Amino acid sequence: MATEREGPRHRQAASDLTGRAGELDLIKAVIEDTGKSGGSLTLFGEPGVGKSALLDAAADLALANGMRTLRAAGAEFEANIAFAGLNQLLVPLAPMFPRLDSSHESALRVALGFGDGPTPSRLLIATATLSLLLLAAQDQPLVVVVDDTQWLDGASADVLAFVARRVADTAVRVLTAVRTTGQQPTGDGSSLTVRSLDDAAAESLLIGRYPDLAEPVRRRIVTEAQGNPLALVELPAMLAPDRYPTADALPAVLPLSERLSRTFTSRISALAPETRDLLLLLALDGSGRALSDAGVVGSGAAAQLDIAEHERIVVVDRQHTVVFRHPLVRSAVVELAGPEARRRAHRALAKGRALDPGHRAWHLADAAFGPDEEVASLLQREAIQALKRGDPTAAVAAMTRSADLSPDLQQRSQRLAATAYFATEVLGDLRSASSLLSDARRVNAGVGSLAAASAAASLLLYSDGDVISAYRVISAALRAPDIEPAADEVNSAIWILSLTVALNGRKEMWDSYRELVERYRDLLPESVLIRSEIATNPATASPEALATLDRQIAALATERDPGQIIRVAYVANDVDRLADLREPLLRVWREGRQAGAVASVTNALMLLCGESYLAGRWDDTLRFAEEGLELVEVYGYLEFVWYLKYSKALAAAALGQQDVAEEPLEWMLSWSLPRQAFIVPQHVYRVRTLAAIGRGDYETAYTEAVRISPRGVEGGTAQQLQLFVAYDLVEATVRTGRTEQARGFVDAMLRMGVAKISSRWALLVAGAQGLVSEGEAANAHFERALAAAPEELWPFERARVRLAYGEHLRRERAAVESRVQLVAALGLFDRLRAAPWAERARNEMRATGLSRRPADVSQVQLTPQELQIATLAASGLTNKAIGERLHLSARTVSGHLYNVFPKLGVTARAGLRDALNALSEQHGDPESP
């Protein structure tokens, strides 16, 4: 009996039917007679969509309501036996036949094969059936449930339809289900088309049934099943880990279970062999253009295509692309074909793909009958291309298949190791990577390739942050005397080495790294060579290196390779250029989430944390860090945990959330020190430095900062962190009375040319000069600092420099000028929600005699002369030009503007126009600019 009825293993309670709340509500209304269905309901739907499960739920609901249930199901082999379906339905009521009048009893006995006599009319049989059901319902309300009515014999179907139209306002309910294909029938109030589940419901169903299913596999099943519940339940059983050890090893066409095969192959198996051959080409190609690609043209192919379309197996759209009506129909076509037929079809498709090397390689691979080095090499090249176009899943799949087809054991081992590296470094699939690396060693126990070393070092680094072991593995492989690696292998190995060395931070490791970069200089791309120069000491990076980096950043606007974007971003992070990579990194994040590239996504999130922090978008910093922590917890990327916790702590310190900032720091220390990840404590000290400055504890800030950078930006082991803490160090040193030492720190920054790195460092270096200077010299340094970077960049640093400038001016008794800077600083701190610094700015403002900022323009009172000067300044005139027009000195004009700026709540002339417009709207001033 061909039926979609759930067996005991799959039967669900109504409350467990995912995504079917609306359908269940309608069924409940029919059972309880609270709707407008007239006592009957017919469910229409594609095979496997869940009609039987809904009928089961209806039967359960009827039982719960104290009703009796009669059930039947159509069967193909009984479709030509008159009244076979009625027999199945009414046999349980046979003891009640004698209670009918004689004509009805006789008609039913003859129709159901219980008696002899002439065949009664259909109308009499139908009337007798209705009478019997109504009689039974007198004793107990009755629900008739019939599944697969499309396979009922015609006579039974007619009788059932007759009954369903006449049970309104009775104690009988009739629920039926009809399997449809293609276009769903439209029904009235007594019919319901059961649709496929949406993606969210499909995900929920899969997670509930298969909670341990890997996310990439789950996404693939959701895509292939297209919301079909039967497929969602059955497909995972065919994708056991022992058969498909990695998510990337899944076949292009998913295998069907026996039950799915029965459901989807019935119409295909009845087609002529030539039609099935054509469908096989279409199924294996997947593009919908296989006819021309494989050279299959002419009236014969067109005729077979017409047959397939008539049978509602495929549809041809307006672009003449052939599409299967459901992905599982495509799977069924492949399932029905034998191995040789599939290989023959792949060979035909490969011939038509001369201009598409990627698809050609895959078709040749699927047509191969055993190892084939030529095809393995083609797939290896395809894996590299897939990485470059940002498709790491395809890269891993291609390299895995390349290894399978490698006749040489050493080549197979190296390709498996390379696959493990891809899985670790891009996909973040550490479990698969470990399995692949084990396979590589099993194939060739003596494998010593750079690919294997890179994979092993990646696993050691990412799974537990084992810095020393990772360093030993990768550096030993790079130093092997007889090594002749390919350029891409060297590039990967040097990258892993750089991450390992950066995490350790010790000078001897950086020296070793530079030595190995020089050894392989001719094989390394420019981006790696630039990283070697910049990462080892950003403060001494040459103008040429920075210019090269800027060109590489500009090129990322159209870059598709997430690895290239991330590698450039790591270098950019060292020298304040992450702001220029926000869009490429967001692209890696968005596309990586879709592709399941966990490692790429997590790297992008960490870099976005840094970019968002410097941009003052601290909510984004926290959001990106939280998402990253959720990912690494699921996938076991422990090495990333510390940085994500650090990002949250740094944002919390800036916000003044002292307890939140301190919370992860002890964990970071306890995790990092046994692993010799000495860069991590440096980040702990940075957070504590910032938090201490925020609460005004400058002695603690000084103590923590000098742990990172005892001699400013010269020497030490954490050059980038020295840069990031340099301004904090100068401020803490000045505030604790160590002014001469602070001047030494500033002199070191000037000698090394730190200001050339970026506009942020030009801002901070000049600001640090202001901190250690006095009088007009300090004013000049602070003014130069504020002019060094665009207004919209580095808001936190700009606000801190303005605060320092305002504090200096107040000490110089320039109260008016001080207020301008303090109001501007307070505005930035308030926008950032940097509470400790905002409070400092308010305290300084009170000390100048300005008790508060105007809450809004309604509180602003300008003198006529102030309004006139502000209006002229807003129009673009200089102080000198304004003075000439109003017969005032430029100094007097400047003094008036210093009074106007804090009144209007602006910090620069650029803000005057908007402020005056707002003032005009408030007061109705017709003279506004």
Short mmCIF file of all heavy atoms in Angstrom, two decimals, residues 239-245:
data_model
loop_
_atom_site.label_atom_id
_atom_site.label_comp_id
_atom_site.label_asym_id
_atom_site.label_seq_id
_atom_site.Cartn_x
_atom_site.Cartn_y
_atom_site.Cartn_z
N LEU A 239 22.47 10.30 5.84
CA LEU A 239 23.70 11.09 5.85
C LEU A 239 24.51 10.80 7.10
O LEU A 239 25.00 11.70 7.78
CB LEU A 239 23.36 12.58 5.77
CG LEU A 239 22.53 12.99 4.54
CD1 LEU A 239 22.15 14.46 4.61
CD2 LEU A 239 23.27 12.70 3.25
N ALA A 240 24.64 9.54 7.44
CA ALA A 240 25.35 9.13 8.65
C ALA A 240 26.81 9.55 8.58
O ALA A 240 27.43 9.53 7.51
CB ALA A 240 25.25 7.62 8.81
N PRO A 241 27.42 9.96 9.72
CA PRO A 241 28.81 10.42 9.73
C PRO A 241 29.80 9.40 9.19
O PRO A 241 30.82 9.77 8.61
CB PRO A 241 29.06 10.72 11.21
CG PRO A 241 27.71 10.98 11.78
CD PRO A 241 26.77 10.07 11.05
N ASP A 242 29.52 8.09 9.39
CA ASP A 242 30.48 7.11 8.90
C ASP A 242 30.49 7.04 7.37
O ASP A 242 31.48 6.65 6.76
CB ASP A 242 30.17 5.72 9.48
CG ASP A 242 28.74 5.28 9.18
OD1 ASP A 242 27.91 6.14 8.84
OD2 ASP A 242 28.47 4.07 9.30
N ARG A 243 29.38 7.44 6.76
CA ARG A 243 29.31 7.43 5.29
C ARG A 243 29.79 8.76 4.71
O ARG A 243 30.42 8.80 3.66
CB ARG A 243 27.88 7.16 4.84
CG ARG A 243 27.73 6.97 3.34
CD ARG A 243 26.31 6.56 2.99
NE ARG A 243 26.15 6.38 1.55
CZ ARG A 243 24.99 6.14 0.95
NH1 ARG A 243 23.89 6.02 1.68
NH2 ARG A 243 24.92 6.01 -0.35
N TYR A 244 29.46 9.85 5.39
CA TYR A 244 29.88 11.18 4.97
C TYR A 244 30.55 11.86 6.16
O TYR A 244 29.91 12.55 6.94
CB TYR A 244 28.66 12.00 4.49
CG TYR A 244 27.95 11.36 3.32
CD1 TYR A 244 26.74 10.70 3.51
CD2 TYR A 244 28.51 11.39 2.05
CE1 TYR A 244 26.09 10.09 2.45
CE2 TYR A 244 27.86 10.79 0.98
CZ TYR A 244 26.66 10.14 1.18
OH TYR A 244 26.02 9.54 0.13
N PRO A 245 31.86 11.65 6.33
CA PRO A 245 32.55 12.10 7.55
C PRO A 245 32.58 13.62 7.71
O PRO A 245 32.73 14.11 8.82
CB PRO A 245 33.96 11.54 7.38
CG PRO A 245 34.11 11.29 5.92
CD PRO A 245 32.76 10.93 5.42
#
